């Protein structure tokens, strides 16, 4: 493995972290809006939505942490490959890939939560 192999993940991880941050900001804004609405007119449906969004925020934070750790793993892999320590560099690259997969698994989990919440809301519209 050469120095450019871990460098190939840099743009992918950067874009992934940007997408995760955008998700976080959108969900955080939605939580703030729902909390204001709930303070004006307390509603158990709003409380349930806020709790669901809290679970999503936790998943997004885990996605972000694992993505950052994957990025750090790539940097360390490149550093050790630069020092001609191929075994250590390869190990950090493998760790980086595993962290990236874990991050993507949390992303899938968060998408599933979001989808279930939307299905519940849509089901409520069908009955009205």
């Amino acid at each position: 493995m050469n120095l450019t192999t871990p460098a190939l993940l840099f743009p992918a991880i950067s874009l992934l972290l940007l997408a995760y941050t955008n998700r976080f900001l959108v969900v955080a804004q939605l939580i703030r809006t729902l909390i204001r609405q709930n303070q004006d007119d307390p509603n158990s449906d709003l409380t349930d939505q806020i709790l669901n969004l809290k679970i999503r925020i936790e998943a997004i934070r885990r996605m972000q942490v694992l993505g950052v750790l994957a990025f750090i793993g790539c940097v360390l892999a490149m550093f050790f490959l630069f020092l001609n320590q191929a075994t250590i560099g390869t190990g950090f690259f493998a760790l980086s890939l595993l962290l990236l997969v874990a991050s993507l698994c949390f992303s899938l989990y968060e998408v599933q939560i979001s989808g279930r919440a939307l299905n519940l809301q849509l089901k409520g519209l069908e009955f009205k």
Side-chain angles (χ1 to χ4, degrees):
M1 180 167 55
N2 60 27
L3 193 61
T4 59
T5 304
L8 291 173
L9 284 184
F10 270 55
I13 294 174
S14 297
L15 288 174
L16 202 59
L17 289 174
L18 182 62
Y20 291 169
T21 301
N22 287 338
R23 266 182 164 160
F24 183 86
L25 293 174
V26 168
V27 172
Q29 184 59 41
L30 184 56
I31 288 172
R32 289 184 189 98
T33 302
L34 291 176
I35 286 174
R36 268 188 247 112
Q37 285 179 4
N38 197 41
Q39 288 171 343
D40 294 341
D41 181 27
N43 183 333
S44 65
D45 287 339
L46 286 179
T47 304
D48 290 344
Q49 286 183 31
I50 292 167
L51 292 174
N52 182 285
L53 291 171
K54 181 182 175 192
I55 294 168
R56 286 182 60 194
I57 282 286
E58 287 298 319
I60 293 169
R61 283 184 23 204
R62 288 184 178 128
M63 291 160 33
Q64 288 174 318
V65 167
L66 290 167
V68 168
L69 291 174
F71 200 59
I72 291 169
C74 272
V75 170
L76 290 172
M78 289 178 63
F79 176 73
F80 283 106
L81 289 171
F82 177 74
L83 296 176
N84 291 321
Q85 300 292 322
T87 305
I88 298 171
T90 303
F92 273 111
F93 183 65
L95 177 64
S96 177
L97 289 175
L98 290 174
L99 290 167
L100 188 57
V101 167
S103 176
L104 291 171
C105 287
F106 271 106
S107 177
L108 181 62
Y109 170 67
E110 190 268 335
V111 167
Q112 294 296 320
I113 294 170
S114 176
R116 282 195 301 262
L118 284 174
N119 284 336
L120 288 174
Q121 278 197 306
L122 291 172
K123 193 178 273 188
L125 287 175
E126 291 171 2
F127 292 117
K128 292 182 180 179

